Amino acid sequence: MIYGLTNSKGGVGKTTIAVHLAAWLTKKKRTVIFIDADPQSSASQWIRELNLPIALEEISDPEKIIHRVAKLAADANDIVIDGPAGLSTTTRAIMLRADKVFLPCGPSILDLRAASKAVALLREAQKSRKGLPKGALIPNKLQKRGRLSREMLGAANKLGIPLLSGLSQRQSFADAAGQAKVVWGMGATSLLASHEMQQLMKEMTRG
Ligand SMILES: Nc1ncnc2c1ncn2[C@@H]1O[C@H](COP(=O)(O)OP(=O)(O)O)[C@@H](O)[C@H]1O
Ligand SMILES: [Mg+2]
């Protein structure tokens, strides 16, 4: 399975979710290749420091992504691609290669509207690939214990894209990279974060 994390905006949780997904898949005994497609390469250091059996490649050139992913697909159970912010040709390349694309977005209705540009790009890719990649929005940094407002649900409905349960705003998520850990390795103070993240991982890998 090839997973892509993309969105038009930065700071929405692409890297946080991509790194956790890769770590979670290794916990499920799957072989995983992680492609850091963001030239800022913030995921790469985190992945290296986790010391998990995750093969890491840093490729931000769109042509190279297209060729390399096709080649690598036979070498692992799963490929996780952490995309850059923006609707660049790199983001397009990810959408042309992934089986599933996830669009993390901020917690407000404005963030959701901003994500509509990425949804439009996704639709383009789906047109040329007989419905692939599958796509879903991931609301991140939610207040009120992760509950989604009715407005959020309505807006996602209008965009015609599934909405996953999402993540609350939590210090543990913000601290994980600095501690070179994932939230389920951070002990008792991160139990709620761990529970939320694992719930999200289940939804992302389902079906
Ligand atoms: N649910 C969350 N709660 C608190 N902080 C978060 C959460 N998700 C992400 N962050 C923090 O927000 C910042 C941006 O997240 P990141 O995953 O790097 O986003 P992106 O890759 O989309 O730019 C990081 O400092 C990260 O630790
Ligand atoms: Mg990032």
Side-chain angles (χ1 to χ4, degrees), residues 174-197:
D175 290 344
Q179 294 186 18
K181 285 180 178 159
V182 282
V183 286
W184 47 84
M186 287 167 67
T189 53
S190 297
L191 278 183
L192 289 173
S194 170
H195 184 82
E196 263 186 16
M197 186 63 93

Side-chain angles (χ1 to χ4, degrees), residues 30-51:
R30 306 210 24 114
T31 54
V32 183
I33 297 170
F34 191 99
I35 297 181
D36 188 350
D38 186 351
Q40 292 187 22
S41 52
S42 52
S44 296
Q45 190 183 351
W46 192 357
I47 289 283
R48 279 191 207 99
E49 290 175 353
L50 280 177
N51 265 324

